[in-house]
Amino acid sequence: MPVALLQGLDKVTARTSTFEAPVGEPVSFGQLTLLVKACQKASPIDPPESAAFLDAQEKQADGTVVAVFQGWMFASSPALSAMEHPVYDVWVKDCRKSDSKTRSSSKP
């Protein structure tokens, strides 16, 4: 699938955001740069599952870039391969075809 639907949590402000990340195109969430390298969805006859290979990097205050996470994330089991970060949580919700309507939400 060409687009991953991701959800992120800023632990400092307690705000969540749902955003699309096209495969191969970096997107930003806070100080993180997220690059989805692959997004796969199970066939309709299999149990529902979406998985994305995600590369997350954080830009530090001094300008250096630090790798935060690299690996597969699974929508049905976000804790199986979770990104551990003191400020941000990011997880996969779905893999989908490109959608012209980007869904985004914030909750206080």
Side-chain angles (χ1 to χ4, degrees):
M1 295 292 209
V3 176
L5 182 64
L6 304 176
Q7 188 161 18
L9 168 67
D10 183 329
K11 297 176 190 177
V12 174
T13 63
R15 291 189 181 198
T16 60
S17 298
T18 302
F19 51 96
E20 290 184 349
V23 173
E25 295 180 27
V27 295
S28 295
F29 176 67
Q31 294 297 108
L32 299 178
T33 300
L34 306 167
L35 178 63
V36 176
K37 295 185 176 182
C39 198
Q40 298 179 354
K41 190 169 189 167
S43 69
I45 61 172
D46 293 327
E49 179 65 273
S50 293
F53 191 86
L54 188 67
D55 186 2
Q57 298 180 339
E58 180 181 22
K59 186 172 183 179
Q60 302 286 315
D62 63 0
T64 60
V65 176
V66 177
V68 175
F69 178 85
Q70 185 175 30
W72 285 97
M73 286 188 174
F74 300 91
S76 66
S77 304
L80 182 64
S81 179
M83 181 184 84
E84 294 185 23
H85 190 275
V87 179
Y88 303 108
D89 277 342
V90 175
W91 59 94
V92 175
K93 292 189 71 164
D94 196 12
C95 292
R96 57 173 61 172
K97 294 181 181 176
S98 185
D99 188 7
S100 60
K101 301 177 208 169
T102 302
R103 297 177 187 160
S104 179
S105 65
S106 276
K107 297 177 185 175

